[in-house]
Amino acid sequence: FAVVLSLTSKKLKIEFLPPDINKSGWGFSIEDDKIRLGFCSIKGVGENVYKKVKEAKRIKNFTDFIERVSGRAVNKKAILILIAAGAFNSLETESNEELARKYMLTIRKEKDWDGSINIGTRMVIKNTDSRRNINKAIFGSELFAF
């Protein structure tokens, strides 16, 4: 199904926008004739994470997110997955890799972090992986290439 959708979307020139911490809903939405991915499309991020993010209203920057949203429902794994999915791209000037590094080394103070994000029992994303591999791991498809 994903392959057919990928080929069809390329033929029809349908563009996808990455999930956004402030703009995305739970499902998909239309924005400027493009499809904005919702939180439901991100592996490892459940509805509880979505509800906590929306309760916080407008997130100003990553530090604001950490101060107001992180906790039990929005844990380290969920935060790293949101970073890798590009959910903070509209807020930050730093790359996803730098944002993840800053979070793990500065905020979490995990000096031995190896640059990987465990998104399931057997799925690990390394910050050296290609964007295509990261999209495939997080969204289950190479279809969403941003």
Side-chain angles (χ1 to χ4, degrees), residues 84-109:
F88 298 100
N89 288 357
S90 65
L91 304 178
E92 301 293 331
T93 56
E94 298 170 292
S95 69
N96 291 340
E97 293 80 10
E98 285 303 314
L99 200 55
R101 184 174 276 98
K102 172 181 159 183
Y103 172 69
M104 290 302 289
L105 301 179
T106 309
I107 296 167
R108 298 276 311 177
K109 298 184 182 357

Side-chain angles (χ1 to χ4, degrees), residues 18-22 24-26 37-46 48-50 52-53 59 62 65-66 69-70 73-90 96 99-100 117 119 125 131 134 138-139 146:
D20 186 277
I21 203 74
N22 286 317
S24 289
W26 175 246
L37 299 180
F39 281 76
C40 71
S41 67
I42 309 171
K43 278 186 193 175
V45 174
N48 287 338
V49 172
Y50 167 72
K52 290 289 184 190
V53 168
I59 305 292
F62 186 69
F65 173 82
I66 294 300
V69 180
S70 70
V74 185
N75 58 22
K76 174 179 81 170
K77 177 182 169 186
I79 292 169
L80 289 172
I81 291 170
L82 287 170
I83 290 169
F88 298 100
N89 288 357
S90 65
N96 291 340
L99 200 55
I117 302 167
I119 65 169
I125 300 171
R131 191 80 200 135
I134 291 172
I138 293 175
F139 302 114
F146 339 101

